[in-house]
Amino acid sequence: MTDALTLHSPTALLDALCTCINEDIHPLSARAVAAGSKLFGAAILRKSDLSVVYADTNQERGSPLWHGETWTLKQFFEIPADQRPPVTDCLFLTTHEPCSLCLSAILWSGFDNFIYMYTYEETHYVFECHGDLDIFNDVFNVREAETARQASLDGTLAQIRPQYKLRSSRLVALSFAELLAAITDKKTQSEYLTKVEQIKRSYGRLSEAYRRNMGVE
Ligand SMILES: [Zn+2]
């Protein structure tokens, strides 16, 4: 992952990732949402030139295991081995910070990274999809001990998130917010903030469509 970060500036990464979401992931998600699946999507890009190898979206209507990430991984490994790049040469992009299932699936597949646009907190409180944090809290007890103490101290919701290692020898997890923060020129940073906000607005509309289709108020 560090090689990709060294090779590409935050703006080059954001350009490629935003284009991938807009052109590859979002159209697939819009169709899947209309058919009754959720709006989460993912893609695999080459670290070297940031070209898209494969992009796909949640297929939960077919199986509850096919989240955007797990479905994308399954489809990627359906490509004959001699026709796809090794995972160590690839970036894993996910629209939403991966749930416990998907985070493990990304690592078990051999990726050393993922980059996400929405955080767990946004998934929970903005999209009102509670599975990710509920599983972490109910099964992995992340609300216990230090996190609960902190949350009660400063009254923040952010403290209930799982404390997985964002930087380790196994994994580099990077958010769009971090990429945006790494842009040093303020004018450029503001342009990219607007660019990401535009994508987020289009996901807001998708979320409304999903809720309408599912009969959720
Ligand atoms: Zn998932």
Side-chain angles (χ1 to χ4, degrees), residues 67-70 98-103 132:
H67 291 190
E69 301 93 320
T70 48
C99 73
S100 49
L101 168 72
C102 294
L103 196 157
D132 297 1

Side-chain angles (χ1 to χ4, degrees), residues 121 125 147-161:
E121 291 80 5
Y125 296 106
T147 52
R149 196 183 68 80
Q150 271 301 328
S152 66
L153 280 180
D154 46 20
T156 56
L157 300 167
Q159 298 297 333
I160 65 169
R161 72 180 353 270

Side-chain angles (χ1 to χ4, degrees), residues 37-93:
S37 286
K38 290 203 180 83
L39 49 73
F40 308 100
I44 293 163
L45 297 85
R46 286 182 184 80
K47 287 177 181 173
S48 58
D49 61 2
L50 303 178
S51 59
V52 178
V53 180
Y54 189 77
D56 217 317
T57 192
N58 179 290
Q59 298 291 343
E60 252 181 52
R61 208 168 68 99
S63 158
L65 294 180
W66 297 141
H67 291 190
E69 301 93 320
T70 48
W71 179 255
T72 297
L73 288 166
K74 177 201 173 289
Q75 295 297 89
F76 173 77
F77 286 108
E78 300 276 325
I79 302 170
D82 59 354
Q83 291 167 40
R84 58 176 147 84
V87 290
T88 47
D89 292 349
C90 295
L91 296 178
F92 196 94
L93 166 65

Side-chain angles (χ1 to χ4, degrees), residues 86-133:
V87 290
T88 47
D89 292 349
C90 295
L91 296 178
F92 196 94
L93 166 65
T94 176
T95 55
H96 295 65
E97 192 170 10
C99 73
S100 49
L101 168 72
C102 294
L103 196 157
S104 297
I106 292 166
L107 283 174
W108 276 107
S109 300
F111 285 86
D112 61 5
N113 70 85
F114 58 80
I115 307 179
Y116 58 95
M117 181 167 65
Y118 288 106
T119 62
Y120 290 132
E121 291 80 5
E122 289 175 298
T123 302
H124 195 90
Y125 296 106
V126 179
F127 288 87
E128 296 186 52
C129 291
H130 298 151
D132 297 1
L133 283 182

Side-chain angles (χ1 to χ4, degrees), residues 14-28:
L14 281 167
D15 276 332
L17 302 174
C18 290
T19 301
C20 175
I21 292 178
N22 275 331
E23 295 181 4
D24 298 293
I25 300 175
H26 191 278
L28 293 170

